[in-house]
Amino acid sequence: MANERLRSALAAAGLTPQAVGEQVGVDTKTIERWISTGRTPHRANRTRLCTLLGRDEEYLWPDAVSDAQVRSASHAEFVDIHPNRGSIAAATWHSLLVNAQESIDLLAYAASFFHDTISDFNELLLDKARAGVWVRLLFGDPKGGAVQLRGEEEGIGDSLSGRCSLSWKYLAPCIGIPGVEARVHDTTLYTSIFRFDDDLFANTHVYGAPANHSPVMHLHRVAGGRLFPHFLDAFARVWDSAVQADSTTLLA
């Protein structure tokens, strides 16, 4: 059976089997067999291909990755656990923003701490967007049912809705700027997700407690690991269900 994932990855990267063979160190016919017959390359070649194509080994050859390898890779993804969001220094968030080269993805209800602790937060986002970084902002609908319910569960009533409104007011200068995409969501949020290239912070939500009082897991993307893509897939699902932010409506 042909390996269509590998074929698609080569096409997406704009690479021919000949070009891949030259960079990996095997002949063109071998590359073509890997595609047309689904033959699994030796591990060293799989690693080179993953690096070249920017894909995970588990995605390209799911049958070749053992449970032990997956567990090992997932352990390697884990960087640190913070007891609460407040224990992460403002300088850390600032550094992550400044050093991002490809993607900034922020999912929360309000995440007003960014503007509270980083005075030039908007300017940093806009600078990154102008430099070609893909910035995606995904925050709660102040009038949505999920935000209202979360506020009730935390015992703060409409305060969470107010924080969402405040965040959108802060972000107004960023909405509509090329390179910045902003969407409003009304989903039950189990985890706030803050992704900066290959680093991701997953802030768990615990019933009855505000997000800033709950643990934050720091992950770094590792080929073959399942934790980083697991949370990134969650971001994608919320993103797909959200609607484009309209500053006129949000600030009304």
Side-chain angles (χ1 to χ4, degrees):
M1 183 181 294
N3 188 333
E4 297 299 338
R5 291 184 177 183
L6 180 56
R7 190 196 307 277
S8 176
L10 263 66
L15 294 170
T16 65
Q18 180 179 359
V20 172
E22 291 173 355
Q23 297 192 52
V24 174
V26 299
D27 61 69
T28 302
K29 289 185 177 180
T30 298
I31 301 292
E32 292 173 345
R33 282 196 294 271
W34 292 345
I35 297 172
S36 62
T37 69
R39 181 177 297 179
T40 301
H42 292 303
R43 187 173 184 183
N45 288 330
R46 295 200 305 269
T47 300
R48 295 189 190 101
L49 270 170
C50 288
T51 301
L52 176 62
L53 299 174
R55 300 281 185 162
D56 290 337
E57 184 178 4
E58 183 184 6
Y59 172 78
L60 294 175
W61 303 280
D63 294 337
V65 181
S66 69
D67 288 341
Q69 286 176 291
V70 170
R71 287 196 299 272
S72 177
S74 294
H75 281 301
E77 289 177 286
F78 181 81
V79 177
D80 201 358
I81 184 80
H82 300 271
N84 53 63
R85 202 172 60 208
S87 64
I88 304 174
T92 297
W93 297 113
H94 189 276
S95 176
L96 290 164
L97 285 163
V98 169
N99 292 314
Q101 298 296 315
E102 297 179 358
S103 300
I104 295 173
D105 297 326
L106 307 178
L107 165 62
Y109 279 137
S112 53
F113 72 94
F114 280 121
H115 287 96
D116 291 340
T117 59
I118 303 174
S119 60
D120 56 346
F121 180 69
N122 281 0
E123 288 75 12
L124 287 173
L125 289 181
L126 294 175
D127 286 346
K128 291 286 106 176
R130 295 186 192 103
V133 175
W134 187 18
V135 178
R136 293 189 293 179
L137 308 175
L138 188 51
F139 296 112
D141 181 351
K143 302 175 183 178
V147 169
Q148 295 296 327
L149 178 59
R150 181 66 184 180
E152 293 172 8
E153 291 173 345
E154 289 186 12
I156 59 174
D158 293 334
S159 295
L160 180 58
S161 176
R163 289 210 300 270
C164 290
S165 295
L166 183 60
S167 289
W168 282 118
K169 288 178 182 179
Y170 282 149
L171 290 167
C174 300
I175 297 177
I177 300 299
V180 178
E181 295 186 50
R183 294 188 183 182
V184 185
H185 75 86
D186 185 30
T187 59
T188 301
L189 198 58
Y190 300 100
T191 308
S192 296
I193 297 172
F194 311 112
R195 181 268 185 105
F196 310 87
D197 290 346
D198 290 336
D199 284 281
L200 184 149
F201 288 73
N203 184 185
T204 60
H205 288 207
V206 177
Y207 184 84
N212 66 322
H213 290 181
S214 298
V216 182
M217 182 166 52
H218 179 190
L219 304 174
H220 185 82
R221 188 203 295 268
V222 171
R226 290 183 175 176
L227 297 177
F228 191 102
H230 179 69
F231 285 105
L232 207 55
D233 286 346
F235 180 97
R237 286 191 290 271
V238 180
W239 181 260
D240 289 342
S241 69
V243 298
Q244 184 173 345
D246 180 348
S247 59
T248 301
T249 302
L250 287 167
L251 302 180

